[in-house]
Amino acid sequence: MPGECFQKNSTSSLFGPSPETYWGQFEEISKYNVHLNFFERMWAAWYAYMQNDVLATGILSFVMHEVVYFGRSLPWIIIGHIPYFQKYKIQNQKVPTAQEQWNCAKLVLLSHFTVELPQIWLFHPMCLYFGLDTGVPFPSLLTMALQIAVFFVIEDAGHYWLHRALHWGPLYKNIHKIHHQYSAPFGLAAEYASPIEVMLLGVPTVGTPILWCAVTGNLHILTMYTWIVLRLFQAIDAHSGYEFPWSLHHFLPVWAGAQHHDVHHEKFIGNYSSSFRWWDKLMDTEAGFEAQKRRRERRMIKEGKKVQ
């Protein structure tokens, strides 16, 4: 029952009355929970100090999202003003102006406060309902890594099909077109989209770990947070517009990266996956010159066999 989950997973219910300050609560917890590491004690102190797990999770989730999103976008803004990095710009003839970036940031902030924030306040009750653990101790790094790897694979599949569907005429015109306002993307534009698109493409990101928890009954909210952070990094980097010799796909060929997604924005079609390249390859929806060349070669071979 959800109520039982609340008692099981609620961190604040494990400790006595909250001292007046957060650090006072931290000291109290440290006295009697020496088996917890520093970060686990900080986590427990936050929930115990707040004395309201819904509020504690809501604030933590929203602040984390904003800090990570704009914090990860900032380096790309700085890089855009350093001439040395222009040689790595994929579409180097299209550099976003300060006004374009500011207009983008305003819409993204509006979306965060009007679309994402209300959903975040429902996050903790949803976690408890599906059995996500919000307490301490934290899961092992190996457990987190394995679960997050699964999330990347499943989310990529869901994103591919939803994103591809959004390129269908009516859906593109009424929903997805706004995201393609910038044919040469930049980091801040990762979540520059209509509210409907934000919710639709958020389903694989949030729904994948929730589904995992519902099936396995084994997921900690810290793993969920780590997954969200990595997914934000992936989305922002994919929209960065820069291709470096040290970019991840040079070492992990199945990784999509900025080059893969930049072509999608330039051509307005193909390359629908988020993290990996295999769905586009499997479904023959790769975009760009090399992909077109391979299609021509396959067509010529096929036509040659028919003539024979």
Side-chain angles (χ1 to χ4, degrees):
M1 294 290 291
E4 292 174 353
C5 283
F6 183 88
Q7 293 302 320
K8 174 186 175 184
N9 290 331
S10 171
T11 307
S12 60
S13 65
L14 299 177
F15 307 100
S18 173
E20 293 183 1
T21 67
Y22 167 78
W23 289 111
Q25 188 62 265
F26 177 81
E27 290 178 4
E28 284 294 309
I29 290 170
S30 298
K31 288 179 185 177
Y32 304 105
N33 296 273
V34 294
H35 61 288
L36 300 177
N37 64 43
F38 179 77
F39 295 105
E40 289 169 337
R41 282 178 276 151
M42 287 186 67
W43 179 279
W46 168 249
Y47 278 90
Y49 170 68
M50 291 298 295
Q51 289 293 301
N52 183 320
D53 287 4
V54 174
L55 190 62
T57 300
I59 293 173
L60 190 61
S61 300
F62 188 71
V63 170
M64 178 203 72
H65 183 274
E66 298 309 289
V67 169
V68 172
Y69 187 85
F70 290 101
R72 183 54 187 161
S73 297
L74 182 60
W76 296 116
I77 296 174
I78 295 171
I79 284 172
H81 289 82
I82 301 176
Y84 171 79
F85 290 107
Q86 279 303 108
K87 61 185 176 181
Y88 299 117
K89 186 84 168 66
I90 299 170
Q91 299 184 57
N92 56 18
Q93 75 283 8
K94 299 177 183 178
V95 179
T97 65
Q99 186 61 49
E100 285 178 322
Q101 300 219 37
W102 173 236
N103 291 339
C104 175
K106 287 190 292 185
L107 188 137
V108 168
L109 276 170
L110 180 65
S111 174
H112 286 179
F113 277 93
T114 60
V115 179
E116 297 186 18
L117 183 58
Q119 297 177 63
I120 283 174
W121 291 117
L122 299 173
F123 184 58
H124 191 86
M126 182 177 66
C127 289
L128 297 176
Y129 182 83
F130 286 103
L132 264 77
D133 184 7
T134 61
V136 289
F138 294 152
S140 69
L141 291 177
L142 178 60
T143 297
M144 293 174 64
L146 290 174
Q147 290 176 344
I148 290 171
V150 172
F151 298 164
F152 264 110
V153 173
I154 298 175
E155 186 282 333
D156 184 68
H159 184 98
Y160 173 87
W161 289 106
L162 282 172
H163 188 189
R164 186 172 176 178
L166 287 172
H167 276 263
W168 176 60
L171 293 181
Y172 180 85
K173 181 181 178 181
N174 295 298
I175 300 175
H176 191 50
K177 187 177 180 179
I178 186 172
H179 183 66
H180 278 272
Q181 179 176 327
Y182 303 107
S183 58
F186 48 93
L188 270 174
E191 291 186 355
Y192 183 85
S194 75
I196 296 174
E197 179 174 345
V198 171
M199 288 188 287
L200 278 175
L201 294 183
V203 169
T205 300
V206 178
T208 296
I210 293 297
L211 178 62
W212 172 273
C213 184
V215 173
T216 68
N218 177 25
L219 185 64
H220 195 283
I221 197 171
L222 180 65
T223 306
M224 178 86 160
Y225 281 164
T226 307
W227 152 245
I228 296 295
V229 168
L230 293 175
R231 178 70 177 91
L232 283 171
F233 267 57
Q234 179 277 320
I236 294 165
D237 290 358
H239 287 83
S240 69
Y242 287 87
E243 167 71 9
F244 299 110
W246 55 85
S247 293
L248 182 57
H249 79 88
H250 292 300
F251 308 96
L252 184 65
V254 297
W255 188 252
Q259 185 273 337
H260 182 267
H261 196 66
D262 207 278
V263 173
H264 171 77
H265 275 262
E266 183 182 15
K267 305 298 182 183
F268 293 94
I269 194 168
N271 289 8
Y272 300 115
S273 296
S274 56
S275 299
F276 304 107
R277 296 173 182 248
W278 49 54
W279 276 105
D280 283 298
K281 191 171 185 63
L282 179 65
M283 304 308 298
D284 197 24
T285 53
E286 292 177 294
F289 175 77
E290 290 298 325
Q292 292 176 344
K293 182 181 177 181
R294 287 193 295 270
R295 288 193 190 95
R296 284 197 301 268
E297 290 173 350
R298 289 199 302 269
R299 187 166 60 248
M300 290 174 64
I301 293 172
K302 189 175 181 180
E303 290 173 352
K305 287 181 178 179
K306 285 183 179 179
V307 172
Q308 293 176 359

